Amino acid sequence: MVSAEQAADGQPFHIFISEQLKEKIETGAYEPGERLPSEFDLGAVFGVSRTTIRKAIASLIQQGLVTTQRGKGIFVTDPHKISFSMANPLMYFDAALKQQGYTSRVQSLRFQLIQAPVEVKRQLALTHNNAQVYWQEKIYYADDTPIALDVTYYPETTGEALAEPLQQGFTYSTLVRNGIYLHAAKVSLESIPATYELSEYLAVPLGLPLLVFNYVAYGDNRQPVVCGKTLSRSDWTCYTAEVEVNHPDLSVLENLP
Amino acid sequence: MVSAEQAADGQPFHIFISEQLKEKIETGAYEPGERLPSEFDLGAVFGVSRTTIRKAIASLIQQGLVTTQRGKGIFVTDPHKISFSMANPLMYFDAALKQQGYTSRVQSLRFQLIQAPVEVKRQLALTHNNAQVYWQEKIYYADDTPIALDVTYYPETTGEALAEPLQQGFTYSTLVRNGIYLHAAKVSLESIPATYELSEYLAVPLGLPLLVFNYVAYGDNRQPVVCGKTLSRSDWTCYTAEVEVNHPDLSVLENLP
DNA sequence: TAGTGGTCTAGACCACACG
DNA sequence: GTGTGGTCTAGACCACTAC
């Protein structure tokens, strides 16, 4: 039994509880896979209502420390982290997964011809007013865990020519296997919390941070070949790069306030 | 008044409410800066308890769509997004901010000599067993909004020599001004939800996704000069890069299952 | 059947902002 | 003082798991 006064430093009690449990998990007092006491029991231990316990647990869920299973309990997560090199933009997903000891799999959700959204038209440098593109959504699995949702747009001709293989494999590998080489890419990385729809696709809790990898890849003659984005579970993925730092233009710095 | 039956597609009602409000915000029915109805009034509108409304609002907060002010109300966020180039690792923070029309400022939280953590020792290639490093934590502001917490480790000699300027300016600018050039860096990007401590430093809601930019920067002779990480609000920041894709080793692909 | 987490209610008290 | 959001309670019903 922990008295409520112990948290009386302005910190809400559900935060206090959450951090107590977090420490127990990180020090190994609760091991990966182990079941935590039920919400009811935790309420008794800390002397608070179930609502407060649930708020504390919600925080642990969002930090990827535990997962819940209805009817079963709260379980400590077995941590994973897969790193992807930005130099071989996510298209190399399968190779990176294999290198790090995971089996990989793709599930194509849709593959259809649509009117190109303006942003896609710009990125793929499509000039025709009513240009169409193939729109693909697929899920990437690592050892049967869905870790990313990929949204890709292909120019009409590419999508038509490679319709079957593109629906069965990873973007990059498939393009390369079919003689389409990518020489450069413009990428950006941001992060968003999982919306309800995304949380269902990726089987993650609502609000879990997702990494968003936006890309436009160019082939021969700097012609854009493909664009899209990969939304991946932030508790499973990270992106790495080795960069050459340009010698700075000192005049820019001098002009700073 | 919206009847609860409208959400009866298995979707929890707080999700339904959250998405209704989200749509109103994104279509401009609620404009940036505008106040939403109070939790009490929203409860009446949707015909649910305040608890359910609060859960819906929590989701909007986490998506960065609204902010709450105790005693005042719920306000639609004015969206911002600042992009940083990975080629000039975050050290160029000040220049990027200025370029995009923001004023920048640094607040140094601490600057002290400590026993080097093992990870830092490895990254800075320190061989001495009891090597010490300067540990700095500072907050980056854009127009008086705290957008990032930077944690930097300097080798003892560097930190000692540049103690004063480092406590007043941005890492990169200060080093360059003092003749220390950075030629390359190893970086990685991941994302975590804001912990309670971080949420207080950055004045963000608990659980808001943060981008974590880890870096080790090298100077002349590939000598590590500085390492650390920058944790930035994901609703304000994104990282961009232009990458050259290495021609893939086809044999690797052939070996894939 | 008993126990678990998921959802929701109705109400309480507090700290804070504003008139 | 009134209204606001922040926290917390005690309890309800449900869906699911396990025995």
Side-chain angles (χ1 to χ4, degrees):
Chain A
M1 177 70 177
V2 178
S3 71
E5 291 79 42
Q6 290 194 17
D9 54 353
Q11 200 176 238
F13 205 35
H14 70 263
I15 301 285
F16 173 77
I17 294 169
S18 163
E19 293 188 344
Q20 289 279 308
L21 294 173
K22 182 177 180 179
E23 195 182 332
K24 280 204 168 187
I25 290 168
E26 290 181 338
T27 60
Y30 291 127
E31 294 179 2
E34 190 176 343
R35 216 203 80 178
L36 264 57
S38 73
E39 296 178 346
F40 183 82
D41 290 347
L42 285 172
V45 168
F46 287 101
V48 298
S49 74
R50 194 178 152 217
T51 310
T52 303
I53 291 294
R54 280 185 62 74
K55 213 165 177 188
I57 297 296
S59 172
L60 297 180
I61 290 173
Q62 208 193 7
Q63 292 171 64
L65 293 169
V66 302
T67 56
T68 53
Q69 287 173 255
R70 194 201 302 235
K72 296 182 76 174
I74 306 162
F75 299 86
V76 178
T77 306
D78 199 1
H80 289 266
K81 203 92 178 193
I82 306 171
S83 46
F84 298 96
S85 166
M86 306 196 55
N88 292 306
L90 73 107
M91 315 155 187
Y92 231 178
F93 237 79
D94 45 1
L97 284 172
K98 199 193 175 198
Q99 255 179 14
Q100 289 167 67
Y102 295 90
T103 61
S104 63
R105 189 161 57 85
V106 185
Q107 179 193 358
S108 190
L109 297 177
R110 57 169 58 83
F111 186 84
Q112 60 195 70
L113 197 61
I114 58 164
Q115 189 84 2
V118 284
E119 184 63 9
V120 171
K121 256 177 69 177
R122 197 182 58 71
Q123 292 184 325
L124 292 182
L126 301 177
T127 49
H128 193 296
N129 251 346
N130 298 317
Q132 294 197 299
V133 291
Y134 276 90
W135 168 41
Q136 180 173 39
E137 286 191 356
K138 50 186 184 293
I139 294 182
Y140 293 158
Y141 291 84
D143 285 353
D144 299 318
T145 303
I147 57 166
L149 171 71
D150 185 79
V151 184
T152 315
Y153 299 94
Y154 306 94
E156 191 174 355
T157 50
T158 311
E160 203 159 353
L162 303 179
E164 286 96 25
L166 281 177
Q167 286 178 79
Q168 288 165 13
F170 287 83
T171 309
Y172 189 43
S173 309
T174 305
L175 292 175
V176 168
R177 275 181 215 269
N178 289 276
I180 299 181
Y181 286 84
L182 307 173
H183 297 118
K186 284 186 189 174
V187 307
S188 72
L189 264 169
E190 54 188 335
S191 181
I192 56 167
T195 61
Y196 184 70
E197 194 186 1
L198 288 169
S199 72
E200 297 221 311
Y201 276 134
L202 295 175
V204 296
L206 180 67
L208 185 94
L210 301 179
L211 276 167
V212 184
F213 182 90
N214 301 287
Y215 56 92
V216 188
Y218 302 87
D220 301 324
N221 308 320
R222 311 289 300 173
Q223 194 67 25
V225 170
V226 60
C227 73
K229 59 184 169 186
T230 302
L231 302 104
S232 61
R233 300 178 58 148
S234 65
D235 55 348
W236 273 71
T237 57
C238 81
Y239 289 89
T240 65
E242 304 203 2
V243 299
E244 295 294 318
V245 179
N246 302 327
H247 271 245
D249 178 359
L250 280 175
S251 67
V252 174
L253 291 174
E254 295 312 322
N255 288 335
L256 287 171
Chain B
M1 176 70 177
V2 178
S3 71
E5 291 80 43
Q6 290 194 16
D9 54 353
Q11 199 175 239
F13 205 34
H14 70 263
I15 300 286
F16 173 77
I17 294 169
S18 164
E19 293 188 343
Q20 290 279 309
L21 294 173
K22 182 178 180 179
E23 195 183 331
K24 279 203 167 185
I25 291 168
E26 290 182 337
T27 60
Y30 291 127
E31 294 179 2
E34 189 175 345
R35 215 205 80 178
L36 264 58
S38 73
E39 296 179 346
F40 183 82
D41 291 345
L42 286 172
V45 169
F46 287 100
V48 297
S49 74
R50 193 179 153 215
T51 310
T52 303
I53 291 294
R54 280 185 63 74
K55 213 164 176 188
I57 298 296
S59 172
L60 298 179
I61 290 172
Q62 210 194 6
Q63 293 171 64
L65 293 169
V66 302
T67 56
T68 52
Q69 288 174 255
R70 197 204 300 238
K72 297 182 76 174
I74 307 162
F75 299 86
V76 177
T77 306
D78 199 2
H80 290 266
K81 203 92 178 192
I82 306 171
S83 47
F84 298 95
S85 166
M86 306 197 54
N88 291 306
L90 74 105
M91 314 153 186
Y92 231 177
F93 238 78
D94 45 0
L97 283 173
K98 198 192 175 198
Q99 255 179 15
Q100 289 167 67
Y102 295 89
T103 61
S104 63
R105 189 160 57 85
V106 185
Q107 177 194 359
S108 190
L109 297 177
R110 57 169 57 84
F111 185 84
Q112 60 195 70
L113 197 60
I114 58 165
Q115 188 85 2
V118 284
E119 184 63 10
V120 171
K121 257 177 69 177
R122 198 182 57 72
Q123 292 183 327
L124 292 181
L126 302 177
T127 49
H128 193 296
N129 252 345
N130 298 316
Q132 294 197 299
V133 291
Y134 276 91
W135 167 40
Q136 180 173 39
E137 285 191 357
K138 49 187 186 293
I139 295 182
Y140 293 159
Y141 291 84
D143 285 353
D144 299 317
T145 302
I147 57 166
L149 171 70
D150 185 79
V151 184
T152 316
Y153 298 93
Y154 306 95
E156 191 174 354
T157 51
T158 311
E160 202 160 354
L162 303 178
E164 286 97 26
L166 280 178
Q167 286 179 76
Q168 288 165 14
F170 287 82
T171 309
Y172 188 44
S173 309
T174 305
L175 291 175
V176 169
R177 277 181 215 268
N178 288 276
I180 299 181
Y181 286 84
L182 307 173
H183 297 118
K186 283 185 190 174
V187 308
S188 72
L189 264 168
E190 54 188 335
S191 181
I192 57 166
T195 61
Y196 183 70
E197 193 187 1
L198 289 169
S199 72
E200 296 221 309
Y201 275 134
L202 295 175
V204 296
L206 181 67
L208 185 94
L210 301 179
L211 277 168
V212 183
F213 181 89
N214 300 288
Y215 57 91
V216 187
Y218 303 87
D220 301 324
N221 307 322
R222 311 289 299 172
Q223 193 67 24
V225 171
V226 60
C227 73
K229 59 185 168 184
T230 302
L231 302 104
S232 61
R233 300 178 57 148
S234 65
D235 56 347
W236 273 71
T237 56
C238 81
Y239 288 89
T240 65
E242 305 203 1
V243 299
E244 295 295 317
V245 179
N246 302 326
H247 271 245
D249 178 359
L250 281 174
S251 69
V252 174
L253 291 173
E254 296 311 323
N255 288 335
L256 288 171

